[in-house]
Amino acid sequence: MKTTLTPPSTTLKIHPADNVLVALTDLPGGTKVSENGHTVTLTHDVAAKHKIALETLPTGGGVTMYGVLVGKTTRPVEAGEALTTFNLRHDAEPFDVARRQPYAWQPPDASAWQSRTFLGYPRSDGRVGTRNYWLVVPLVFCENRNILVLKDAFERELGYAPSERYRWQVRDLVAAYRHGNQLAIERSALPSGPEAVPAESLIFPNLDGIKFLTHELGCGGTNRDADALCALLAGYITHPNVAGATVLSLGCQKSQIDTLRAEIARRDPRFDRPLVYVDQQTTGTEEALLSEAIRETFRGLMRANEQTRQPAPLTQLTVGLKCGGSDGFSGLSANPVLGHLSDLLVSLGGTTLLGEFPELCGVEQQLIDRCDREADAEKFARLMREYAAQAAAVGAGFDMNPSAGNIKDGLITDAIKSAGAAKKGGTAPIAGVLDYTEWPTRPGLHLLCTPGNDVLATTGMAASGANLILFTTGLGTPTGNPVAPTVKISTNSRLAGRMPDVIDFDSGPVVTGHQTIQQNGEALLEWLIALASGRHRTKAEALNQDDFMPWRRGVNL
């Protein structure tokens, strides 16, 4: 269901079945708000993004939002009263594959983009990258320090090092301290200077960067953890945005080179990109290890630089759909904007990935109904139940998912948060259900099992082949990914103005009524085509925000 807001609205009823309104602006107590001729008076001040009861509710009364149950009251609630953690607890409808209903979909008109292309890097496996990166990864945490030594050497000499302005500020503070200049210390500010090296001065202009990953796994955990790490790293090494990779191994760790090779071959049996393996216990000294890694990596960079961008159809886009730092407007603006964009891409033959399974709680039945194949519906139900059981085993639950920031901005139950988060998946049928690091085998919308945790989720989306990630936020986050450009989309224009170095695209005009969801989503699609073609970078790329965190299959919400 597409919702269009028209000013000067102060509240919104999202779905006809809802018994709550959403405040679109701060409203003082005593304000009268109406919905279809039904008027209620606010009993207290209500902050923007929070929910107002449209009717009197008894203790245990169900609250419906987005057309689904999102909680039950813990005490009587008056009509016109705000819903809070003091009068509402999480609750959600049960789900069952046996109750699966037929689903019909009316695709949006995507004819304007039918023949459009982007400029990408074609790979021999048929996929296309939106970036051309070299990857340097450790098989075990013992190699993290060597990874950082390589990072410093390559980035400084090849022109990929981040701005040194922060270092310059520390240098100025040291000088002021040595001279006893307290006033200069108090007035210290960031010096001006270049943010990045101009592309024309790069040694390898066709290489978008070298990405150095570190992690805390590879040994000392379970065999399952070690194998999962190899699967994750294989997903990155074979990623369409990666031209080649260097792998550092200690030698005796649980995550072995042979296991990684097998995972790479499982994903791409004819893998032919340059791949450098260096094992410290075989090589001997650290100096020998690093010297060999530098020499062989440089040779690989020369090959990677031979790649050039070529026109590719939009069907080659695989887009991860993520939200984080969510607020009470997420489900009204940015998330449904992503939903419309997802529907457009699916109509064109592209692929989208909707993750964050703890944030699909309460809408499982709707998603089960949308699954093309019963096997996928059963897989989704099984993964959701297994995830919930893991949480319950340690005294946790999906109801603990909302953060303090979520709650403060109106997402007071996991079901409220989930119903809004699911809007990122639009209305298309679900073509597949994927476990963590699995790849889609056909185009369309897929459900991908990841935690809600921002970095765990984006790390998993990239491992499953997302060559772009769309990340909506109402509170702001700098989160990025080493290999997949991560686009930050604000739910409200105030955030876009307050954090311009983090936000790439603003969906706030949907809340104010200046744009429809469709208009904003189509503008975002145009912006993405230019991004995929390398015509601009995301703010996370400019900040070198390369967040990478493997998921150990414990409880992470």
mmCIF file of all heavy atoms in Angstrom, residues 336-365:
data_model
loop_
_atom_site.group_PDB
_atom_site.id
_atom_site.type_symbol
_atom_site.label_atom_id
_atom_site.label_comp_id
_atom_site.label_asym_id
_atom_site.label_seq_id
_atom_site.Cartn_x
_atom_site.Cartn_y
_atom_site.Cartn_z
ATOM 1 N N PRO A 336 9.626 2.744 2.896
ATOM 2 C CA PRO A 336 8.789 2.494 1.716
ATOM 3 C C PRO A 336 9.379 3.049 0.421
ATOM 4 O O PRO A 336 9.089 2.531 -0.661
ATOM 5 C CB PRO A 336 7.450 3.155 2.062
ATOM 6 C CG PRO A 336 7.710 4.036 3.222
ATOM 7 C CD PRO A 336 8.881 3.467 3.943
ATOM 8 N N VAL A 337 10.219 4.081 0.507
ATOM 9 C CA VAL A 337 10.933 4.557 -0.683
ATOM 10 C C VAL A 337 11.824 3.438 -1.214
ATOM 11 O O VAL A 337 11.848 3.154 -2.422
ATOM 12 C CB VAL A 337 11.754 5.825 -0.360
ATOM 13 C CG1 VAL A 337 12.818 6.080 -1.432
ATOM 14 C CG2 VAL A 337 10.831 7.036 -0.241
ATOM 15 N N LEU A 338 12.565 2.777 -0.298
ATOM 16 C CA LEU A 338 13.365 1.629 -0.723
ATOM 17 C C LEU A 338 12.480 0.511 -1.260
ATOM 18 O O LEU A 338 12.850 -0.199 -2.198
ATOM 19 C CB LEU A 338 14.203 1.109 0.446
ATOM 20 C CG LEU A 338 15.668 1.574 0.488
ATOM 21 C CD1 LEU A 338 15.759 3.091 0.568
ATOM 22 C CD2 LEU A 338 16.408 0.925 1.633
ATOM 23 N N GLY A 339 11.305 0.349 -0.665
ATOM 24 C CA GLY A 339 10.375 -0.664 -1.147
ATOM 25 C C GLY A 339 9.954 -0.415 -2.580
ATOM 26 O O GLY A 339 9.890 -1.349 -3.398
ATOM 27 N N HIS A 340 9.674 0.849 -2.907
ATOM 28 C CA HIS A 340 9.296 1.172 -4.290
ATOM 29 C C HIS A 340 10.478 0.944 -5.222
ATOM 30 O O HIS A 340 10.309 0.381 -6.319
ATOM 31 C CB HIS A 340 8.814 2.622 -4.381
ATOM 32 C CG HIS A 340 8.394 3.030 -5.760
ATOM 33 N ND1 HIS A 340 7.374 2.410 -6.448
ATOM 34 C CD2 HIS A 340 8.885 3.990 -6.591
ATOM 35 C CE1 HIS A 340 7.236 2.969 -7.647
ATOM 36 N NE2 HIS A 340 8.141 3.926 -7.756
ATOM 37 N N LEU A 341 11.669 1.354 -4.794
ATOM 38 C CA LEU A 341 12.855 1.135 -5.622
ATOM 39 C C LEU A 341 13.100 -0.360 -5.828
ATOM 40 O O LEU A 341 13.438 -0.799 -6.932
ATOM 41 C CB LEU A 341 14.063 1.804 -4.972
ATOM 42 C CG LEU A 341 15.378 1.722 -5.754
ATOM 43 C CD1 LEU A 341 16.159 3.022 -5.621
ATOM 44 C CD2 LEU A 341 16.234 0.562 -5.269
ATOM 45 N N SER A 342 12.927 -1.155 -4.762
ATOM 46 C CA SER A 342 13.084 -2.603 -4.882
ATOM 47 C C SER A 342 12.103 -3.177 -5.895
ATOM 48 O O SER A 342 12.461 -4.006 -6.741
ATOM 49 C CB SER A 342 12.886 -3.264 -3.514
ATOM 50 O OG SER A 342 12.939 -4.676 -3.615
ATOM 51 N N ASP A 343 10.855 -2.722 -5.828
ATOM 52 C CA ASP A 343 9.857 -3.210 -6.785
ATOM 53 C C ASP A 343 10.243 -2.854 -8.220
ATOM 54 O O ASP A 343 10.053 -3.657 -9.147
ATOM 55 C CB ASP A 343 8.482 -2.614 -6.451
ATOM 56 C CG ASP A 343 7.840 -3.256 -5.228
ATOM 57 O OD1 ASP A 343 8.329 -4.312 -4.778
ATOM 58 O OD2 ASP A 343 6.851 -2.698 -4.714
ATOM 59 N N LEU A 344 10.793 -1.636 -8.426
ATOM 60 C CA LEU A 344 11.239 -1.245 -9.759
ATOM 61 C C LEU A 344 12.364 -2.153 -10.242
ATOM 62 O O LEU A 344 12.339 -2.643 -11.376
ATOM 63 C CB LEU A 344 11.713 0.216 -9.752
ATOM 64 C CG LEU A 344 10.640 1.302 -9.635
ATOM 65 C CD1 LEU A 344 11.297 2.666 -9.420
ATOM 66 C CD2 LEU A 344 9.760 1.328 -10.877
ATOM 67 N N LEU A 345 13.350 -2.400 -9.382
ATOM 68 C CA LEU A 345 14.475 -3.244 -9.779
ATOM 69 C C LEU A 345 14.032 -4.676 -10.064
ATOM 70 O O LEU A 345 14.486 -5.299 -11.029
ATOM 71 C CB LEU A 345 15.554 -3.240 -8.696
ATOM 72 C CG LEU A 345 16.421 -1.984 -8.609
ATOM 73 C CD1 LEU A 345 17.383 -2.083 -7.439
ATOM 74 C CD2 LEU A 345 17.193 -1.761 -9.912
ATOM 75 N N VAL A 346 13.136 -5.198 -9.228
ATOM 76 C CA VAL A 346 12.624 -6.555 -9.461
ATOM 77 C C VAL A 346 11.868 -6.606 -10.792
ATOM 78 O O VAL A 346 12.011 -7.568 -11.561
ATOM 79 C CB VAL A 346 11.734 -7.004 -8.287
ATOM 80 C CG1 VAL A 346 11.005 -8.291 -8.628
ATOM 81 C CG2 VAL A 346 12.575 -7.195 -7.024
ATOM 82 N N SER A 347 11.100 -5.570 -11.084
ATOM 83 C CA SER A 347 10.378 -5.522 -12.361
ATOM 84 C C SER A 347 11.335 -5.537 -13.543
ATOM 85 O O SER A 347 11.021 -6.077 -14.609
ATOM 86 C CB SER A 347 9.518 -4.252 -12.427
ATOM 87 O OG SER A 347 8.537 -4.249 -11.424
ATOM 88 N N LEU A 348 12.512 -4.934 -13.352
ATOM 89 C CA LEU A 348 13.509 -4.856 -14.421
ATOM 90 C C LEU A 348 14.362 -6.122 -14.526
ATOM 91 O O LEU A 348 15.130 -6.271 -15.476
ATOM 92 C CB LEU A 348 14.425 -3.656 -14.176
ATOM 93 C CG LEU A 348 13.773 -2.281 -14.311
ATOM 94 C CD1 LEU A 348 14.674 -1.199 -13.720
ATOM 95 C CD2 LEU A 348 13.452 -1.974 -15.771
ATOM 96 N N GLY A 349 14.249 -7.026 -13.535
ATOM 97 C CA GLY A 349 15.051 -8.245 -13.538
ATOM 98 C C GLY A 349 16.259 -8.169 -12.641
ATOM 99 O O GLY A 349 17.149 -9.031 -12.714
ATOM 100 N N GLY A 350 16.321 -7.160 -11.765
ATOM 101 C CA GLY A 350 17.407 -7.048 -10.806
ATOM 102 C C GLY A 350 17.145 -7.870 -9.560
ATOM 103 O O GLY A 350 16.137 -8.580 -9.445
ATOM 104 N N THR A 351 18.053 -7.757 -8.584
ATOM 105 C CA THR A 351 17.985 -8.563 -7.367
ATOM 106 C C THR A 351 18.096 -7.655 -6.149
ATOM 107 O O THR A 351 18.940 -6.747 -6.125
ATOM 108 C CB THR A 351 19.133 -9.593 -7.339
ATOM 109 O OG1 THR A 351 19.046 -10.413 -8.516
ATOM 110 C CG2 THR A 351 19.052 -10.480 -6.106
ATOM 111 N N THR A 352 17.258 -7.894 -5.146
ATOM 112 C CA THR A 352 17.346 -7.155 -3.888
ATOM 113 C C THR A 352 17.357 -8.134 -2.724
ATOM 114 O O THR A 352 16.798 -9.235 -2.803
ATOM 115 C CB THR A 352 16.183 -6.153 -3.727
ATOM 116 O OG1 THR A 352 14.934 -6.846 -3.805
ATOM 117 C CG2 THR A 352 16.218 -5.088 -4.813
ATOM 118 N N LEU A 353 18.018 -7.719 -1.636
ATOM 119 C CA LEU A 353 18.187 -8.559 -0.450
ATOM 120 C C LEU A 353 17.646 -7.842 0.767
ATOM 121 O O LEU A 353 18.142 -6.771 1.137
ATOM 122 C CB LEU A 353 19.668 -8.873 -0.223
ATOM 123 C CG LEU A 353 20.473 -9.429 -1.405
ATOM 124 C CD1 LEU A 353 21.946 -9.555 -1.031
ATOM 125 C CD2 LEU A 353 19.914 -10.779 -1.844
ATOM 126 N N LEU A 354 16.610 -8.392 1.404
ATOM 127 C CA LEU A 354 16.042 -7.839 2.630
ATOM 128 C C LEU A 354 16.504 -8.697 3.797
ATOM 129 O O LEU A 354 16.147 -9.869 3.898
ATOM 130 C CB LEU A 354 14.513 -7.820 2.554
ATOM 131 C CG LEU A 354 13.773 -7.318 3.796
ATOM 132 C CD1 LEU A 354 14.099 -5.847 4.079
ATOM 133 C CD2 LEU A 354 12.260 -7.505 3.646
ATOM 134 N N GLY A 355 17.328 -8.139 4.679
ATOM 135 C CA GLY A 355 17.879 -8.889 5.797
ATOM 136 C C GLY A 355 17.225 -8.548 7.117
ATOM 137 O O GLY A 355 16.046 -8.217 7.182
ATOM 138 N N GLU A 356 18.006 -8.688 8.208
ATOM 139 C CA GLU A 356 17.574 -8.304 9.553
ATOM 140 C C GLU A 356 16.369 -9.099 10.038
ATOM 141 O O GLU A 356 15.307 -8.559 10.301
ATOM 142 C CB GLU A 356 17.276 -6.811 9.611
ATOM 143 C CG GLU A 356 18.422 -5.924 9.176
ATOM 144 C CD GLU A 356 18.078 -4.465 9.260
ATOM 145 O OE1 GLU A 356 17.485 -3.938 8.286
ATOM 146 O OE2 GLU A 356 18.392 -3.853 10.281
ATOM 147 N N PHE A 357 16.525 -10.411 10.194
ATOM 148 C CA PHE A 357 15.391 -11.253 10.571
ATOM 149 C C PHE A 357 14.747 -10.871 11.910
ATOM 150 O O PHE A 357 13.525 -10.999 12.048
ATOM 151 C CB PHE A 357 15.812 -12.723 10.561
ATOM 152 C CG PHE A 357 15.688 -13.371 9.201
ATOM 153 C CD1 PHE A 357 15.747 -12.609 8.045
ATOM 154 C CD2 PHE A 357 15.505 -14.740 9.066
ATOM 155 C CE1 PHE A 357 15.631 -13.179 6.788
ATOM 156 C CE2 PHE A 357 15.374 -15.339 7.814
ATOM 157 C CZ PHE A 357 15.439 -14.546 6.678
ATOM 158 N N PRO A 358 15.503 -10.392 12.924
ATOM 159 C CA PRO A 358 14.806 -9.970 14.149
ATOM 160 C C PRO A 358 13.865 -8.792 13.911
ATOM 161 O O PRO A 358 13.000 -8.522 14.745
ATOM 162 C CB PRO A 358 15.960 -9.563 15.085
ATOM 163 C CG PRO A 358 17.122 -10.336 14.602
ATOM 164 C CD PRO A 358 16.967 -10.386 13.118
ATOM 165 N N GLU A 359 14.033 -8.098 12.777
ATOM 166 C CA GLU A 359 13.176 -6.966 12.457
ATOM 167 C C GLU A 359 12.146 -7.315 11.394
ATOM 168 O O GLU A 359 11.659 -6.454 10.661
ATOM 169 C CB GLU A 359 14.045 -5.769 12.063
ATOM 170 C CG GLU A 359 14.919 -5.342 13.240
ATOM 171 C CD GLU A 359 15.805 -4.144 12.946
ATOM 172 O OE1 GLU A 359 15.549 -3.448 11.960
ATOM 173 O OE2 GLU A 359 16.747 -3.924 13.729
ATOM 174 N N LEU A 360 11.814 -8.592 11.320
ATOM 175 C CA LEU A 360 10.673 -9.053 10.519
ATOM 176 C C LEU A 360 9.645 -9.718 11.429
ATOM 177 O O LEU A 360 8.726 -10.390 10.956
ATOM 178 C CB LEU A 360 11.151 -10.034 9.444
ATOM 179 C CG LEU A 360 12.154 -9.467 8.425
ATOM 180 C CD1 LEU A 360 12.573 -10.544 7.440
ATOM 181 C CD2 LEU A 360 11.587 -8.258 7.705
ATOM 182 N N CYS A 361 9.796 -9.519 12.740
ATOM 183 C CA CYS A 361 8.916 -10.134 13.727
ATOM 184 C C CYS A 361 7.538 -9.475 13.692
ATOM 185 O O CYS A 361 7.414 -8.265 13.875
ATOM 186 C CB CYS A 361 9.544 -9.983 15.120
ATOM 187 S SG CYS A 361 8.545 -10.645 16.444
ATOM 188 N N GLY A 362 6.515 -10.284 13.445
ATOM 189 C CA GLY A 362 5.152 -9.765 13.385
ATOM 190 C C GLY A 362 4.599 -9.678 11.981
ATOM 191 O O GLY A 362 3.382 -9.578 11.790
ATOM 192 N N VAL A 363 5.500 -9.699 10.988
ATOM 193 C CA VAL A 363 5.040 -9.669 9.586
ATOM 194 C C VAL A 363 5.414 -10.970 8.871
ATOM 195 O O VAL A 363 5.369 -11.047 7.646
ATOM 196 C CB VAL A 363 5.640 -8.460 8.834
ATOM 197 C CG1 VAL A 363 5.103 -7.156 9.401
ATOM 198 C CG2 VAL A 363 7.162 -8.479 8.877
ATOM 199 N N GLU A 364 5.760 -11.995 9.646
ATOM 200 C CA GLU A 364 6.189 -13.261 9.039
ATOM 201 C C GLU A 364 5.122 -13.854 8.123
ATOM 202 O O GLU A 364 5.438 -14.340 7.036
ATOM 203 C CB GLU A 364 6.545 -14.300 10.125
ATOM 204 C CG GLU A 364 7.723 -13.938 10.984
ATOM 205 C CD GLU A 364 7.299 -13.322 12.305
ATOM 206 O OE1 GLU A 364 6.173 -12.739 12.355
ATOM 207 O OE2 GLU A 364 8.072 -13.411 13.274
ATOM 208 N N GLN A 365 3.851 -13.800 8.563
ATOM 209 C CA GLN A 365 2.805 -14.419 7.750
ATOM 210 C C GLN A 365 2.669 -13.724 6.402
ATOM 211 O O GLN A 365 2.494 -14.380 5.366
ATOM 212 C CB GLN A 365 1.473 -14.409 8.492
ATOM 213 C CG GLN A 365 0.416 -15.290 7.843
ATOM 214 C CD GLN A 365 0.795 -16.768 7.857
ATOM 215 O OE1 GLN A 365 1.182 -17.317 8.883
ATOM 216 N NE2 GLN A 365 0.690 -17.428 6.708
#
